[in-house]
Amino acid sequence: MMILAMMMAMTITANAMSYNVAKNEALFLSDKMAYELNLTPAQYESVYEINLDYLMSLNGHRDVFGAWWSRRNADLRYVLTNWQYDRFMRLNYFYRPVEWRAGAWHFGIYSHYSRAHYYNARPRVFVTYLGGNNRKAAHFYADRHMPRPAMHHKGAVAYHKPTPHHDKTWRSNGRPMNHHPRR
């Protein structure tokens, strides 16, 4: 019985995402969300925290679209504007960022973006935030007042059209290379 319990614990632990993997995946996902959704720096920081909390909560395939995924989406609702949240929900690689296939985690964002390119500097909390806001009182982000992004209008509809040629590649020292300012 004890051996069976140990084997189950090892299986669950083997499926859990490590902190470093979760941190880097949350950074990549949040960077692309900041780019496509035109996030303010404050929104970018909160989105990173929310994505990191979600990824750190994953222990196996049952968690991918479980309670922590619902919590992530509810927290994002407090951080994003209406048009940002609507766009977020329409983009499956943001809305459902992780899949469990063949015993491994798969991230849909990589089918749309190269792994080596970043649009933004790391959020300030990248070094200091260790996770856990999603385990605090419900809706931790509800009382935060996010500065609203400048909206681009085409008629009465807000939009943000990303262009793939505006990329940054990060050096190992954390400084950007190949930065092309947005046009």
Side-chain angles (χ1 to χ4, degrees):
M1 188 67 120
M2 190 109 152
I3 292 172
L4 182 60
M6 286 177 48
M7 287 176 57
M8 288 181 68
M10 287 176 25
T11 302
I12 289 172
T13 304
N15 293 342
M17 196 175 300
S18 74
Y19 172 71
N20 285 331
V21 169
K23 184 176 173 179
N24 289 318
E25 295 298 347
L27 175 64
F28 192 81
L29 177 62
S30 300
D31 177 75
K32 303 319 172 258
M33 290 175 72
Y35 179 65
E36 283 200 46
L37 302 176
N38 196 31
L39 302 181
T40 66
Q43 286 177 309
Y44 179 40
E45 300 231 348
S46 293
V47 165
Y48 170 75
E49 291 173 357
I50 292 166
N51 284 330
L52 179 59
D53 284 344
Y54 167 65
L55 295 177
M56 287 176 45
S57 298
L58 298 177
N59 289 312
H61 67 88
R62 292 183 185 166
D63 294 331
V64 173
F65 302 120
W68 295 117
W69 178 73
S70 297
R71 175 67 183 262
R72 170 190 180 252
N73 294 336
D75 285 343
L76 286 171
R77 186 72 191 106
Y78 289 111
V79 172
L80 303 176
T81 65
N82 289 338
W83 74 267
Q84 288 171 325
Y85 193 79
D86 290 344
R87 181 159 171 77
F88 157 78
M89 288 181 49
R90 286 192 309 269
L91 298 171
N92 210 38
Y93 51 91
F94 289 156
Y95 186 60
R96 297 179 182 270
V98 183
E99 289 182 41
W100 179 260
R101 282 186 283 148
W105 301 109
H106 294 273
F107 297 86
I109 193 76
Y110 294 116
S111 64
H112 300 277
Y113 289 97
S114 168
R115 289 181 184 264
H117 297 283
Y118 288 86
Y119 295 96
N120 301 283
R122 293 177 178 146
R124 288 179 302 137
V125 296
F126 181 78
V127 175
T128 58
Y129 184 67
L130 301 176
N133 285 348
N134 65 340
R135 299 186 190 278
K136 294 179 182 177
H139 309 298
F140 176 81
Y141 296 90
D143 295 329
R144 289 192 176 185
H145 299 286
M146 295 288 133
R148 296 303 184 198
M151 290 180 27
H152 307 279
H153 291 280
K154 184 175 186 177
V157 179
Y159 75 97
H160 176 73
K161 183 178 180 185
T163 52
H165 61 278
H166 301 300
D167 292 343
K168 286 184 190 176
T169 302
W170 293 95
R171 295 183 182 129
S172 60
N173 66 2
R175 295 188 179 183
M177 300 173 30
N178 304 328
H179 174 60
H180 305 285
R182 293 184 192 189
R183 296 176 190 181

